[in-house]
Every structure is written in structure tokens, then in C-alpha cells.
Amino acid sequence: MDFPLGKLLELDVEKTQSPDHQDRVVLTRGDFQFFPSSGLITVRQGDALDLDSEDVFVPFGDGDVELTLKAVNQPGNPISLGSIFLRRDEVNVGELSKRFEGGGALYDVKYKVLPP
């Protein structure tokens, strides 16, 4: 059975969790960090990360996909900045946007769900 594939296009930093307006973040699916593949990404309030050029794909399984954005501003103490769901029924809908909201931060992610 073939499954859809989520493609992340952009991550917009509306408000960081850190008072210095800079977060070190990772995107996870469950306990698996998939972006960046290792280390952390440092972002500043107002940044727009071009994930389309990074080819950030999220494979689906039997159901929807939950993604969590985490700030790792202090090593060993990640803070959840919220979770979103990419849904199977969003295949071929076009570009969509959802918000990570948590820990005092606001991040918007743009994505699309590609057919199998």
C-alpha cells in the first residue's frame, strides 16, 4: 500500500519562546528528530525558513502525522512549542498553513500533502 508524503515548505517565526528572541529548535515525529537531521536550527523572531529548498519530507503511515516543534535553548531541557497534524485527507489540496503554539511561542508552518 502506498502512502501520501508531507512536504514542508516554510517555517515562519512569529514569536520565539526565549526572551532574547532567539530559539534553537528541532522538528520531531514522536521521539524521532527529522529536521534538522542532526543538531539544532537557530532562529530569530521574524525569520522565515525556506524548508522547500531543504527537501523536508514527512512520510505518512496508516494514519495522520503528528509533528512537534521543540525549543532546546537549554541542553537536555526541551520545551514543546506545540504540535500539528498533517492529515491524509489533505492530499492535493495545495499549500496549507498551521500554527505551532506553546511555551509562549508562535510559529507558522506551510506545507502540502503529496499523493502516493
Side-chain angles (χ1 to χ4, degrees):
M1 176 181 237
D2 291 327
F3 299 108
L5 193 63
K7 179 158 178 42
L8 303 186
L9 304 172
E10 188 173 294
L11 183 66
D12 296 323
V13 185
E14 301 294 325
K15 182 179 178 195
T16 58
Q17 181 270 331
S18 173
D20 68 357
H21 306 293
Q22 177 174 288
D23 285 337
R24 284 162 289 290
V25 298
V26 297
L27 276 167
T28 63
R29 179 178 177 184
D31 291 331
F32 175 72
Q33 175 182 325
F34 69 90
F35 184 79
S37 57
S38 64
L40 307 168
I41 295 289
T42 300
V43 295
R44 289 170 184 74
Q45 198 161 292
D47 282 355
L49 295 180
D50 179 9
L51 301 178
D52 193 19
S53 67
E54 298 284 331
D55 287 332
V56 181
F57 291 99
V58 182
F60 278 73
D62 291 329
D64 297 337
V65 176
E66 181 178 13
L67 304 180
T68 303
L69 183 67
K70 296 179 182 176
V72 190
N73 294 325
Q74 297 176 359
N77 189 24
I79 296 169
S80 174
L81 302 181
S83 295
I84 62 166
F85 284 90
L86 307 186
R87 298 189 340 253
R88 294 175 65 85
D89 64 359
E90 295 173 329
V91 169
N92 285 332
V93 171
E95 188 175 301
L96 299 161
S97 181
K98 291 193 178 164
R99 177 166 278 189
F100 291 104
E101 189 169 2
L106 296 173
Y107 286 73
D108 289 320
V109 65
K110 294 177 185 162
Y111 68 96
K112 57 186 168 183
V113 180
L114 307 172

